[in-house]
Amino acid sequence: MITTQSFSAALLLSLPLTALAGLPHQGSLRRYHYDHAKKAALSRRNGPTFKLVDDYNNQTFFDMFDFFTDKDPTNGMVTFVGKEEAQKSGLGFVQDDGTIVLGVDDQTVLQPGQFRKSLHINSKKKYDAGNLFIADFWSMPHGCGTWPAYWTVGDQWPQNGEIDIIEGVNENTSNQITAHTGSSCVLPNTLAKTVGRVVGNQCQTINGDNRGCAFVTDDSITYGHGFNMQGGGVYAHIWTTDAIKVWFFPRGQIPQDIADGNPNPDGWPTPAAIFPGGDQCDLAQGFKQHNIVFDITLCGDWAGPAYAASGCPGTCAQAVADPSNFKVAKFKIASLKVYKQQ
Ligand SMILES: *[C@@H]1O[C@H](CO)[C@@H](O)[C@H](O)[C@H]1NC(C)=O
Ligand SMILES: *[C@@H]1O[C@H](CO)[C@@H](O)[C@H](O)[C@H]1NC(C)=O
């Protein structure tokens, strides 16, 4: 016979209340709920609060971004299209269910060597330290030849910094979170615990090395096919002059305070990546006036050279020519919200 003492708190919480009706010790259960609620309320009062300042939603999204139509600075085999063309060719639009879709042309058959139409959009608004960005994706682009990214960046690269929240190439199964600076900045040897592992600690572009400092998340649900198969999730990052921290929450583990529109990063689990400020990195100097960017390029400086090693067939240019490779090369965005720390 199971006694109430052997129930874990988690199990008790997961049971419908009617299932508990006949159990003794209801008082202590109620007490548990009470303490739990009190603790949650207290931690919310102690930490900073956040006020929604920009809601990139199904009504406003495309009015809040500029379409970048210059040549891809990373040498991808893409033609970035403008707003009208994006809407006309179905590259950027809002689905009937309110989902915001950003994609690559998946219709046109090309000759190897020709460039494919794609998107690169920059938020009209620029942000400084003191903001929390919460992006909820149903799915993200992946596939041979693709190099998608969700990032923020300042003018005059690398002087005003760059933060890459989602980035990878081809059929990657892990995400790379990277910071780039112009001013001196390295990750300290001793870092707070992160889910991601450090793959580079030099954030500054120096002596021609522009790889940045980065964390890779090894769990395949954080990127590409694996991310999409479990319904995507939330990438959240807070940027203050003390630290830049990035979290990933898979679809089934999004904190309730995010769903409630009352985010409380102090209560969230271990971040995927932390870029701390301090003696070794002046975040106020390194990161200024960032636009939010989404882009999907093809081949180019990263996906190109990594193409064969990714197990992709033929050449990257051949992949670009075949539209069927880009059916799932889409960001499907449920919401993007920016909160200001109060
Ligand atoms: C668009 O967003 C609004 C506000 O979040 C929501 O109420 C509405 O249902 C969405 N529209 C669709 C078509 O989902
Ligand atoms: C993505 O795949 C390329 C090889 O195609 C590899 O060089 C790179 O490290 C991978 N990135 C991550 C984040 O796993």
Side-chain angles (χ1 to χ4, degrees):
M1 151 105 199
I2 300 173
T3 65
T4 46
Q5 280 80 9
S6 67
F7 277 106
S8 73
L11 179 56
L12 280 173
L13 287 172
S14 70
L15 289 169
L17 280 177
T18 46
L20 297 169
L23 293 174
H25 304 309
Q26 271 194 47
S28 59
L29 177 64
R30 210 171 288 129
R31 179 56 188 267
Y32 175 83
H33 279 295
Y34 174 73
D35 286 348
H36 190 73
K38 204 168 68 176
K39 225 166 76 192
L42 273 179
S43 71
R44 191 157 293 149
R45 262 206 309 274
N46 287 343
T49 57
F50 294 86
K51 179 171 174 275
L52 181 64
V53 285
D54 290 302
D55 186 359
Y56 294 80
N57 63 31
N58 61 32
Q59 306 293 311
T60 58
F61 191 91
F62 288 105
D63 293 329
M64 295 172 81
F65 279 93
D66 288 322
F67 285 67
F68 173 90
T69 57
D70 292 353
K71 177 183 179 299
D72 175 17
T74 59
N75 302 306
M77 298 183 69
V78 285
T79 306
F80 290 132
V81 302
K83 186 174 181 179
E84 258 176 50
E85 171 71 23
Q87 276 163 358
K88 206 176 67 191
S89 16
L91 267 58
F93 64 99
V94 177
Q95 275 179 189
D96 288 348
D97 67 356
T99 303
I100 298 147
V101 181
L102 308 175
V104 178
D105 170 14
D106 60 5
Q107 303 291 319
T108 314
V109 176
L110 302 172
Q111 294 303 314
Q114 287 186 303
F115 286 15
R116 184 166 290 286
K117 288 177 183 168
S118 186
L119 290 186
H120 180 136
I121 59 174
N122 301 318
S123 67
K124 290 183 175 165
K125 184 159 170 185
K126 290 181 188 291
Y127 298 91
D128 273 309
N131 290 294
L132 170 65
F133 303 76
I134 301 185
D136 185 332
F137 300 88
W138 294 114
S139 65
M140 64 161 290
H142 67 93
C144 289
T146 60
W147 174 6
Y150 159 53
W151 45 302
T152 74
V153 67
D155 292 338
Q156 295 171 294
W157 195 92
Q159 206 171 300
N160 295 309
E162 172 180 326
I163 308 165
D164 304 311
I165 316 302
I166 300 180
E167 188 175 22
V169 294
N170 301 312
E171 285 293 14
N172 271 100
T173 57
S174 49
N175 185 36
Q176 182 167 320
I177 300 164
T178 310
H180 299 272
T181 61
S183 52
S184 93
C185 176
V186 290
L187 291 180
N189 291 330
T190 317
L191 271 171
K193 192 164 177 281
T194 56
V195 174
R197 67 189 157 84
V198 176
V199 293
N201 63 9
Q202 177 57 263
C203 313
Q204 185 183 14
T205 292
I206 188 167
N207 300 329
D209 181 351
N210 61 8
R211 285 175 296 175
C213 50
F215 293 78
V216 164
T217 53
D218 289 315
D219 192 332
S220 65
I221 64 172
T222 62
Y223 187 89
H225 181 70
F227 177 89
N228 296 351
M229 285 302 104
Q230 47 85 51
V234 165
Y235 269 95
H237 71 285
I238 187 165
W239 165 21
T240 69
T241 48
D242 293 334
I244 296 163
K245 298 183 187 178
V246 182
W247 286 265
F248 172 62
F249 304 113
R251 179 61 52 203
Q253 294 168 37
I254 299 171
Q256 188 58 37
D257 54 44
I258 290 184
D260 292 344
N262 186 18
N264 177 31
D266 279 0
W268 295 348
T270 309
I274 300 179
F275 303 94
D279 292 347
Q280 289 171 285
C281 186
D282 183 347
L283 294 178
Q285 181 63 30
F287 301 87
K288 286 178 193 158
Q289 289 282 291
H290 278 202
N291 295 104
I292 302 169
V293 187
F294 293 91
D295 80 289
I296 310 168
T297 188
L298 304 176
C299 308
D301 295 342
W302 189 10
Y307 186 83
S310 304
C312 288
T315 66
C316 204
Q318 284 167 346
V320 171
D322 180 354
S324 70
N325 286 325
F326 304 101
K327 295 286 178 215
V328 294
K330 298 180 196 323
F331 282 110
K332 294 197 171 177
I333 303 169
S335 64
L336 169 62
K337 292 178 177 160
V338 184
Y339 294 84
K340 195 161 182 50
Q341 185 166 320
Q342 299 300 290

